[in-house]
């Protein structure tokens, strides 16, 4: 009886070593197919907090997440830069309006 167990154990181990990876590969292929099918369907669910929506600009995304670590690099500086750019754009628009109107002397 002991010799039979010595023969069965290596066969079971060999079967597990061969069939186990094959089963894992098949499961991975199935899950990849499922993910690809889901990604081809347009998503209507709400985005998580870390995703930028298609309608949202990069500036809006940074402003929404400026306090979250790891989302944007140095968010305070980026928000400050966006503020400065907005002020400069307003000044440029005012300067263009003033130069477009003739002086009234």
């Amino acid at each position: 009886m002991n010799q039979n167990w010595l023969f069965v154990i290596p066969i079971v181990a060999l079967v597990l070593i061969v069939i186990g990876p094959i089963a894992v590969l098949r499961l991975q292929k199935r899950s990849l197919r499922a993910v690809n099918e889901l990604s081809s369907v347009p998503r209507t669910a709400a985005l998580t907090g870390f995703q930028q929506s298609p309608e949202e600009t990069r500036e809006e995304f940074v402003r929404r997440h400026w306090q979250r670590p790891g989302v944007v690099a140095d968010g305070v500086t980026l928000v400050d830069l966006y503020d400065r750019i907005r002020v400069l754009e307003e000044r440029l628009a005012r300067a263009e309006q003033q130069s477009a109107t003739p002086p009234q002397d």
Side-chain angles (χ1 to χ4, degrees):
M1 185 77 175
N2 283 340
Q3 290 177 355
N4 289 341
W5 283 109
L6 293 175
F7 181 69
V8 171
I9 291 174
I11 290 177
V12 170
L14 181 63
V15 168
L16 288 177
I17 289 172
V18 171
I19 294 178
I22 292 172
V24 168
L25 287 174
R26 286 188 180 180
L27 287 173
Q28 287 176 344
K29 285 181 184 178
R30 272 193 216 147
S31 67
L32 284 176
R33 268 193 230 124
V35 168
N36 288 339
E37 289 172 1
L38 287 176
S39 65
S40 65
V41 176
R43 254 197 271 169
T44 57
L47 297 170
T48 63
F50 291 109
Q51 295 175 336
Q52 182 176 347
S53 71
E55 301 86 25
E56 186 178 35
T57 65
R58 180 68 181 161
E59 178 183 355
E60 292 167 344
F61 178 77
V62 169
R63 287 186 184 279
R64 189 164 46 106
H65 295 294
W66 73 272
Q67 291 179 330
R68 295 178 101 164
V71 177
V72 291
D74 203 6
V76 177
T77 303
L78 286 173
V79 170
D80 185 45
L81 286 174
Y82 285 132
D83 289 339
R84 290 180 186 189
I85 290 170
R86 182 171 287 142
V87 169
L88 289 173
E89 287 173 344
E90 290 171 1
R91 285 177 52 194
L92 178 64
R94 275 187 268 134
E96 287 175 349
Q97 285 177 349
Q98 288 177 356
S99 67
T101 58
Q104 298 185 7
D105 286 331

